[in-house]
Amino acid sequence: QVYETHARFALQAGDLSEYNQCQSQLTRLYGEGIAGCHLEFSAYNLLCVMLHSNNKRDLLSSMASLSKEARLDETVKHALAVHSAVSSGNYVMFFKLYKKAPGLNSCLMDLYVERMRFEAIKCMSKSYRPTVPVRYVTRVLGFTRVDVLCEANVADGLEECEEWLKAHGAVLTVDENSGELQIDTKVSSASLYMPEPDNAVSHGDASLAVDDFLARAS
């Protein structure tokens, strides 16, 4: 129970390193037959491996080790559906699954949202001509919640989406007839980029002070 609780807190904080340490211990404990929420953590482990690891062998091993009981669990079924969406590049399905994620699946998906949105907007900029409405992009890329479609929620989502698009190099225009904000897809296809994280550092470890880095390097 301590490891499970700690792991959940780590997921909510977006701390994959801490979560993985807990998951390693939980895998051992479940293997010893100790009762726990093994189905819930089977789903988390699947998502963690498929979204945040390039090791296909680990992914295949995790999927092959799922029991019949696990495959019928809603949290695990959701994780497998996410895998299908990611592997096929289906960003529409990914964000539909993101909005209705059970348990803490959304916490692991949170860490992949930025990458999926960027891949999606690159795809849109090549597929749509000459423009695509920002309102449509806001809805498809999960900037508004499906269950709260009030005017204030939609406005907040539009504003957040507009800021995100500008931060990633999208070129926005206003339709002369409708006054609706649009993405100029032709121009944007050549100007999109992934910005550096706010906490990025040149030596690659944001948690390591420069003085500590220089001391270790010497």
Side-chain angles (χ1 to χ4, degrees), residues 165-166 168-173 182-185 187-189 191-192:
L165 289 168
K166 288 178 178 177
H168 290 73
V171 177
L172 306 182
T173 61
Q182 313 240 5
I183 301 173
D184 185 326
T185 52
V187 179
S188 295
S189 63
S191 63
L192 291 171

Side-chain angles (χ1 to χ4, degrees), residues 36-158:
C37 303
H38 68 282
L39 294 180
E40 175 190 355
F41 281 90
S42 292
Y44 300 157
N45 185 49
L46 266 179
L47 281 174
C48 191
V49 172
M50 69 178 65
L51 296 180
H52 307 290
S53 170
N54 293 321
N55 194 322
K56 292 185 178 180
R57 182 178 296 178
D58 284 350
L59 175 58
L60 291 174
S61 176
S62 296
M63 295 178 71
S65 65
L66 290 174
S67 63
K68 290 184 179 180
E69 180 189 12
R71 291 180 182 274
L72 294 175
D73 181 76
E74 289 302 316
T75 311
V76 174
K77 286 166 68 175
H78 178 271
L80 292 171
V82 171
H83 171 255
S84 177
V86 170
S87 61
S88 63
N90 190 339
Y91 56 83
V92 175
M93 181 56 65
F94 177 89
F95 286 104
K96 284 183 178 179
L97 292 166
Y98 175 62
K99 291 174 181 177
K100 61 180 183 180
L104 296 178
N105 280 15
S106 62
C107 293
L108 282 162
M109 294 178 75
D110 272 336
L111 303 174
Y112 199 79
V113 162
E114 173 75 0
R115 178 176 172 182
M116 200 64 175
R117 281 177 176 161
F118 185 66
E119 293 301 319
I121 204 63
K122 284 199 302 181
C123 180
M124 287 184 190
S125 69
K126 296 174 182 176
S127 306
Y128 293 85
R129 285 290 187 274
T131 60
V132 60
V134 171
R135 183 178 292 272
Y136 168 76
V137 175
T138 299
R139 177 171 56 82
V140 171
L141 299 190
F143 285 99
T144 55
R145 289 170 52 192
V146 170
D147 58 334
V148 188
L149 290 179
C150 63
E151 187 174 338
N153 178 254
V154 173
D156 288 344
L158 280 168

Side-chain angles (χ1 to χ4, degrees), residues 167 195-201 206:
E196 286 286 339
D198 292 337
N199 62 346
V201 291

